[in-house]
Amino acid sequence: MKLILKEYLASLKERGDLDKVLLPNLLSAMGLQVLKTPMIGTRQDGVDISAVGQLPDDDQKYLYLLCVKAGDVGRNDWDAGPQSVRPELQEILDVYIGSKIAKEHHDLPIKICLCMGGELKETVEGNWAGFTQKNATSEVCFELWNGDRLAGFMERSLLARELLDEAARRHFQKALAMVNEPEACYEYTRSFVAIVLPQEEMKDKERLLRLRQAYIGLHVICAWAIEARSLDVVYRISELGLLFCWDAMREQPIEPKPTKHQVTLTEILDQYVRLYLMMSELYFEKVLYPHAETLHALTVSVKSREAVDANLAMFDLIGRAATRAIWTDLFGKALSEANPEFARYLSDQTAKMLDILVALINNNPTLGSPFKDDHMIEAALVMYLAQQTSSGRRFMPWFHAMAENTSFALLTNASYPTCFRDYNDLLAHPASSEQEYRNEACVGSVLYPYLFVWLQYGDEQDLIEEFSRRLSEKIPDCSHQAWFPDEETDQKVWRGDTYHGICITDLSPSRGHAEIADTLNLAIKECGAILEMTVMKRGLVPLFLTACRHYRLPIPPTLWVPPQSHSDVAPVEPNS
C-alpha cells in the first residue's frame, strides 16, 4: 500500500493537487486545524498551507508552516528563482513569521515543513542541511516531509487498517490493478466507496473522516487511470464519487448560520465537484474537443462494425457533455458577483460546450436516430441546458430529425427506439417484423411523448401530424409515459437503486397536445416530491440530473416542460 501511495504522490502537481486536494484533507485527518490553504492571485509569503495542532510523533503543539513542491526537488528547484525552495523558505522567516501569524498563535513554537510528492535529491541535501542548521532556533525548527513520509501519514491517518475496512482496502487495490479494464475498475471503485460511505448514521467526526478517505481513494484511482490513459474510468468514477458524497451529507440540516461542521461538509462537497469538473475536462480534451468539428470522426473512432455501438457511444458522449455544461452554467451564474473573473471563465466554458454540442450533432448523423428509448435522457439534458442558456432554437432541428427518423424507422422496420437494454437484444434489434415483436420492443416509451411535446414548439404541423399517425399505426399498444420521483427517491437514487418513483401514463400523441399538456401539468402539480428533495432545496439541480443520467432514470417533466413562449425554440438551421 505504501508503494502505491508513494507513486501516487510523485505524480501529483503542486497547484491544485498536492496543496489543494491531498494535504488539507490529510492534515485534518491527522487532527490538525488547517488555518490557510493556497489562494490564486494572492501573495503566499512562502507559506502554502498553515495548520495548528499536535501530530502523534510530536511532543507538543506546533504551528506548522508548509512550503509545498511537486515531485522531486533538485538543484534547479533549490535556488533558481523567486518560486524556488530557498527564496520561499527565507521569505517565511523574513516576512510570514514576523507579520502574518495570528495573535493566538504567537506563543506556539513553529515548525517549517518542506513538503514534496517525491524526494529531496542528493545534489541538494547539503543545501537543505546547511540552511536548516543556520536558521533553526529554539522557537523555529525545520522538517522534511517527502513522499515516503507523506505516504506514511496517509497509511496511518486515512487508509490505516484500524480505520479502513479490510474489504474496502481489497476493493481499492483491485480498482488500481484494473484501471485498464474500465468496467471492472468502475465496479471495484463503486464497492470501495460504498463500504467507506455506508448508509448508516455516523457521528460528525467519523463522517468527515470517511468522506476524506473516499475522496483520497478516488483521487488515487483517477491518478493511476490517467497514467494508464483510461479516461473513461476517470470520468465515471469522479461522477460516481460526487453522487455518493452527496448521499453521505444530504440529510445535514441547513442552518441560517452554518456550524463549523456544516462549513467543512460544504468544503468537502466542493472538492468532489472540483474533482468531477477536472476529470471530465481531461476526458473531453482528449475525446471530444479535437474531433467534434470533423464529419463522422467520433462515430468512426468507436471502431465497431455494429451501428448500435456507434449510436450508444455517441449518445453517451453527448449526455456527458451536456451534463458538464449544466454544471458550469450553474456555477457561472452563482459566482457572478462573488468571483466575476472565474464566473466569466465558466460562462465561456458553457458557451464553448454549446457550440461543441451543435457540431457533434451536425457531424455525427447517428445522433438523429436514437436506438434506445432511454436516449430521451440525453435529449432532455441537452434541451435543459438550452433552456437555461436561452439557446433552445439551436437544437430544434435535431428534435425534428429524431422525430422523423424514429417514426420512419417504425415504418421500415429499421433500428427504431426500443425499451430493451440488454446489449445482445439491442444487437439483434429488430429481430422480427411481426407486430407481436414490435409490441414487446416498444411496450413503453418515454422518448416519443417527450419528442411530441417539444415538436409543438417548432410550428411544423405537418411533421407533428405525420409523427403521431406513424406511432398510432405501428405501435398502437405502446404505453407512452413520464417518470416522477416519489418520497423514496431522495433515499435511493444516489446509490443507484431505481425501484422508486411514479409513472404517469396515457401520454399517447394520438390524444393531441392539449390533453397531454393538461395531463402533464396536473401530474407536475400532484407529484411534488421532487421539489422536496434536499438537492432541489439547495439549488443543486445538476446533481439530480447527473444521477438520472448515471443510473439511467428518465428526466422528470418538472425539469423539461417547454416554455410557454415559442421565442426561444423557433426552428433555424442546425449550424446556427
Side-chain angles (χ1 to χ4, degrees):
M1 177 68 82
K2 193 171 184 181
L3 289 174
I4 291 172
L5 296 176
K6 282 183 68 175
E7 283 195 41
Y8 159 67
L9 289 165
S11 72
L12 295 182
K13 300 188 296 291
E14 174 190 347
R15 285 287 174 259
D17 281 348
L18 195 56
D19 57 0
K20 278 285 192 182
V21 171
L22 175 68
L23 286 171
N25 285 309
L26 181 58
L27 295 175
S28 295
M30 291 193 295
L32 300 185
Q33 178 189 355
V34 177
L35 305 174
K36 170 188 178 295
T37 56
M39 299 288 289
I40 297 175
T42 60
R43 181 168 171 169
Q44 306 294 327
D45 295 319
V47 176
D48 294 299
I49 301 172
S50 64
V52 65
Q54 182 176 349
L55 294 178
D57 296 337
D58 290 333
D59 55 354
Q60 60 179 312
K61 188 176 181 181
Y62 281 94
L63 175 64
Y64 297 87
L65 305 179
L66 277 60
C67 176
V68 182
K69 297 297 173 186
D72 297 330
V73 172
R75 184 173 294 279
N76 291 335
D77 307 296
W78 178 256
D79 197 7
Q83 300 300 315
S84 301
V85 173
R86 189 182 186 284
E88 291 196 354
L89 293 176
Q90 193 64 55
E91 202 166 14
I92 294 174
L93 295 169
D94 296 341
V95 182
Y96 193 92
I97 292 178
S99 61
K100 296 292 184 70
I101 297 176
K103 289 183 179 180
E104 61 266 30
H105 303 136
H106 273 173
D107 296 333
L108 291 176
I110 297 170
K111 187 172 284 191
I112 299 174
C113 305
L114 174 59
C115 300
M116 64 196 74
E119 302 295 332
L120 186 70
K121 291 187 176 179
E122 186 178 354
T123 53
V124 292
E125 286 181 353
N127 301 76
W128 167 254
F131 184 89
T132 54
Q133 289 175 11
K134 179 180 177 181
N135 293 285
T137 66
S138 59
E139 298 297 324
V140 178
C141 62
F142 295 83
E143 275 192 359
L144 181 66
W145 289 5
N146 58 15
D148 186 73
R149 186 161 191 187
L150 291 177
F153 286 156
M154 290 177 69
E155 265 203 311
R156 293 200 301 270
S157 301
L158 280 174
L159 304 175
R161 293 181 183 276
E162 305 80 41
L163 300 174
L164 193 61
D165 188 275
E166 184 61 32
R169 292 171 65 90
R170 189 165 58 250
H171 287 301
F172 173 68
Q173 291 169 330
K174 287 180 179 178
L176 290 174
M178 300 298 287
V179 289
N180 284 313
E181 298 291 336
E183 198 58 41
C185 182
Y186 173 83
E187 291 300 332
Y188 284 128
T189 303
R190 180 180 174 80
S191 298
F192 162 72
V193 177
I195 294 171
V196 176
L197 298 175
Q199 282 186 300
E200 59 186 41
E201 285 295 321
M202 291 180 280
K203 294 181 179 179
D204 290 352
K205 189 175 181 180
E206 183 184 5
R207 179 181 290 106
L208 293 177
L209 173 63
R210 286 180 173 272
L211 283 167
R212 291 185 174 112
Q213 286 176 327
Y215 179 78
I216 294 297
L218 284 168
H219 202 278
V220 173
I221 298 169
C222 282
W224 277 57
I226 292 170
E227 186 73 20
R229 299 182 181 180
S230 187
L231 296 180
D232 184 68
V233 164
V234 168
Y235 181 92
R236 292 179 69 195
I237 66 174
S238 64
E239 192 172 71
L240 178 75
L242 181 58
L243 300 176
F244 270 77
C245 170
W246 175 253
D247 186 59
M249 60 176 289
R250 63 183 167 77
E251 292 185 349
Q252 293 297 298
I254 305 174
E255 303 290 347
K257 187 175 181 180
T259 64
K260 182 180 176 181
H261 176 68
Q262 290 167 343
V263 170
T264 306
L265 281 177
T266 302
E267 291 172 350
I268 291 177
L269 177 62
D270 179 65
Q271 291 178 339
Y272 277 86
V273 173
R274 286 174 181 268
L275 179 66
Y276 162 73
L277 292 176
M278 286 190 298
M279 296 302 110
S280 59
E281 183 67 6
L282 278 174
Y283 173 80
F284 292 127
E285 283 178 352
K286 179 68 174 178
V287 174
L288 178 61
Y289 298 156
H291 313 296
E293 300 286 349
T294 305
L295 185 64
H296 302 306
L298 286 163
T299 304
V300 172
S301 70
V302 177
K303 296 181 180 179
S304 172
R305 295 182 180 181
E306 302 295 340
V308 66
D309 291 326
N311 191 262
L312 296 179
M314 288 302 99
F315 271 94
D316 187 46
L317 182 59
I318 201 172
R320 293 180 182 188
T323 302
R324 188 181 193 280
I326 291 169
W327 276 106
T328 56
D329 176 65
L330 172 73
F331 290 126
K333 292 172 180 175
L335 298 173
S336 58
E337 294 184 6
N339 193 337
E341 185 176 346
F342 187 49
R344 280 194 298 272
Y345 167 77
L346 292 171
S347 297
D348 290 343
Q349 287 281 300
T350 306
K352 174 184 176 181
M353 191 62 86
L354 280 167
D355 292 338
I356 290 287
L357 288 171
V358 172
L360 185 62
I361 292 167
N362 289 336
N363 291 313
N364 298 275
T366 187
L367 286 169
S369 303
F371 283 17
K372 289 176 65 181
D373 187 74
D374 69 3
H375 283 155
M376 170 269 180
I377 300 168
E378 283 71 31
L381 288 171
V382 171
M383 192 51 79
Y384 178 86
L385 171 65
Q387 287 178 274
Q388 296 301 307
T389 55
S390 300
S391 53
R393 63 192 184 90
R394 302 183 71 181
F395 297 95
M396 283 310 299
W398 179 43
F399 276 65
H400 291 170
M402 284 193 288
E404 170 65 24
N405 294 341
T406 55
S407 59
F408 187 72
L410 284 169
L411 293 180
T412 58
N413 197 46
S415 298
Y416 51 86
T418 173
C419 58
F420 295 151
R421 292 194 177 188
D422 182 81
Y423 178 73
N424 290 326
D425 291 336
L426 291 171
L427 204 58
H429 176 72
S432 170
S433 60
E434 298 296 326
Q435 185 64 40
E436 184 179 356
Y437 172 83
R438 193 180 295 117
N439 289 341
E440 182 184 359
C442 300
V443 66
S445 176
V446 291
L447 175 64
Y448 287 129
Y450 177 77
L451 290 175
F452 179 76
V453 170
W454 268 100
L455 284 177
Q456 309 302 317
Y457 291 81
D459 296 326
E460 296 263 350
Q461 197 59 39
D462 291 343
L463 174 61
I464 296 169
E465 291 176 1
E466 181 64 14
F467 178 72
S468 180
R469 184 190 68 78
R470 291 172 178 177
L471 297 186
S472 299
E473 178 185 336
K474 289 297 180 179
I475 48 173
D477 297 327
C478 177
S479 174
H480 298 277
Q481 310 169 359
W483 179 82
F484 287 86
D486 63 10
E487 289 74 12
E488 293 185 329
T489 299
D490 204 16
Q491 299 288 331
K492 295 182 175 182
V493 68
W494 310 109
R495 291 173 178 263
D497 186 340
T498 57
Y499 292 95
H500 52 84
I502 300 169
C503 180
I504 304 298
T505 58
D506 205 17
L507 297 177
S508 173
S510 62
R511 296 181 61 211
H513 177 253
E515 287 194 38
I516 290 179
D518 289 343
T519 301
L520 285 174
N521 289 332
L522 179 61
I524 290 170
K525 182 179 178 181
E526 295 295 326
C527 304
I530 185 174
L531 301 178
E532 297 302 315
M533 295 176 68
T534 49
V535 72
M536 295 296 176
K537 291 181 177 180
R538 301 191 191 187
L540 292 173
V541 179
L543 196 53
F544 177 70
L545 293 174
T546 300
C548 287
R549 195 205 65 81
H550 195 92
Y551 297 123
R552 309 310 297 164
L553 286 169
I555 308 299
T558 312
L559 300 176
W560 61 252
V561 284
Q564 297 302 311
S565 168
H566 293 204
S567 60
D568 182 45
V569 291
V572 294
E573 290 301 313
N575 288 303
S576 64

